[in-house]
Amino acid sequence: MLRLIVTRLLGGVAVLAAVATIAFLLLHAAPGGPFSSERRLQPAVERNIEERYHLRDPLWRQYARYMDGLAHGDLGHSMKRPETVGAIIKRHFPKSLTLGLMAIGFAAVFGTLLGVIAAARKNTWVDYAAMSVALVGISVPSLVLGPIAIRYLALELGWVPAARADGLIGYVVPAAVLGLVYAGTIARLARAGMLETLRADYIRTARAKGVSERGVVWRHGLRLGILPVVSYLGPATAGLISGSFVVEKIFQIPGLGFYFVDSVTSRDYPVLTGLLVFYVAFLVLFNLVVDIAYGWLDPRIRASELAS
């Protein structure tokens, strides 16, 4: 297992370097620059600002300076705000993290329950109803579901605040809106995994020994039946934490998504590249956690990894 962790970490470093390089080159290849839209600047002032941020240096020198800073954990300084990229992440990431973790918690619990119940009642109305709910979750985007939730749950019923979540209760509706798409996918994965597991020989043995159907499903089948869900949770968690731009905008939650969108429109190179690298690091980390969890749930996988 240690060999697996070290190998994945080294591979993750290579991925981070590749993402940083591609993002740097694409941003600098696009027409215009961070200060080209600010018409009121005098040419001399604009030249001084660009020299301050080394934008007039050759591209290879800018790249080498950025990669050197990245190797030392320095993501750079924002060109539009009086703070570093690290300070922006430190101040606003907890809000995106809270929203993402609550969303993945909702998606994992709700989606797994739907999938397991559907598999246990295969080809009955319960199965069809559960999969219909999952299909609705997958089909309706957050852009549509968010305003509907605000209209009925916040403005008409007054159960939750409409925007600006100050406490955990304010994250409940945004997290449910954000996690519903992932809950639908998890439900379908859990149903497929459980159906395959419930046909296994050891399940037939358990039934032959007189184990109740509830015990067969929840005690014997669930552990291996949710393996497809576990493999999906890693990238899904990273995606939820890093991909909540629309929900953060709808519910006015000042997370990193706000700054990511703003850095795209303002061409703030250090913030945009730094947030991309940060998000990819998150993705690599969660994939590693999933690999470890996968080996723990299925000892055959752990043994094969150790042997290789």
Side-chain angles (χ1 to χ4, degrees):
M1 189 60 71
L2 181 62
R3 180 180 176 183
L4 170 69
I5 295 173
V6 173
T7 303
R8 295 297 169 86
L9 286 177
L10 292 176
V13 172
V15 170
L16 286 177
V19 168
T21 300
I22 293 171
F24 180 89
L25 295 177
L26 288 178
L27 284 173
H28 286 76
F35 306 103
S36 59
S37 61
E38 299 180 16
R39 304 297 184 190
R40 289 177 296 179
L41 290 179
Q42 296 293 327
V45 176
E46 184 176 347
R47 184 173 59 252
N48 288 337
I49 293 176
E50 289 181 345
E51 287 177 351
R52 177 186 175 187
Y53 290 106
H54 308 288
L55 295 176
R56 290 179 174 264
D57 290 352
L59 188 60
W60 68 266
R61 188 173 295 171
Q62 295 182 48
Y63 173 73
R65 183 180 293 109
Y66 181 76
M67 294 304 287
D68 180 64
L70 190 62
H72 291 85
D74 182 11
L75 295 175
H77 196 288
S78 171
M79 294 177 177
K80 304 291 182 177
R81 303 173 187 278
E83 56 188 342
T84 64
V85 178
I88 292 175
I89 293 174
K90 183 178 180 181
R91 188 151 54 91
H92 295 280
F93 179 62
K95 294 181 174 57
S96 295
L97 181 65
T98 302
L99 177 63
L101 290 180
M102 289 182 69
I104 196 62
F106 167 80
V109 173
F110 185 58
T112 302
L113 279 176
L114 274 183
V116 172
I117 292 172
R121 301 291 187 88
K122 179 186 174 185
N123 294 334
T124 65
W125 70 269
V126 177
D127 182 14
Y128 300 142
M131 287 301 97
S132 297
V133 173
L135 185 60
V136 170
I138 295 172
S139 306
V140 181
S142 303
L143 188 63
V144 175
L145 196 59
I148 294 175
I150 291 176
R151 165 73 184 278
Y152 291 101
L153 298 181
L155 299 181
E156 294 197 3
L157 298 176
W159 290 352
V160 292
R164 289 285 179 187
D166 293 325
L168 283 180
I169 189 66
Y171 285 89
V172 172
V173 175
V177 169
L178 182 61
L180 194 59
V181 173
Y182 291 84
T185 304
I186 288 174
R188 295 169 69 89
L189 290 173
R191 181 182 183 274
M194 285 298 295
L195 286 178
E196 184 176 351
T197 303
L198 292 177
R199 290 194 293 265
D201 292 339
Y202 79 96
I203 293 294
R204 280 196 290 271
T205 303
R207 286 191 174 116
K209 289 181 176 178
V211 178
S212 67
E213 191 61 26
R214 178 175 297 180
V216 166
V217 172
W218 294 101
R219 193 166 66 246
H220 295 280
L222 185 60
R223 179 165 176 166
L224 293 185
I226 62 169
L227 280 179
V229 176
V230 174
S231 64
Y232 176 72
L233 283 181
T237 303
L240 279 171
I241 293 173
S242 61
S244 57
F245 310 143
V246 173
V247 173
E248 288 185 9
K249 191 72 176 177
I250 292 174
F251 290 92
Q252 295 295 298
I253 297 174
L256 282 184
F258 247 83
Y259 286 87
F260 189 85
V261 175
D262 185 61
S263 64
V264 171
T265 55
S266 63
R267 302 285 298 277
D268 195 342
Y269 295 155
V271 174
L272 186 55
T273 312
L275 292 183
L276 279 173
V277 170
F278 182 73
Y279 288 148
V280 172
F282 231 95
L283 189 63
V284 170
L285 177 63
F286 273 94
N287 276 327
L288 176 61
V289 172
V290 166
D291 287 338
I292 295 173
Y294 220 80
W296 177 74
L297 287 169
D298 191 345
R300 295 169 299 177
I301 298 175
R302 181 171 45 194
S304 64
E305 289 289 354
L306 288 173
S308 63

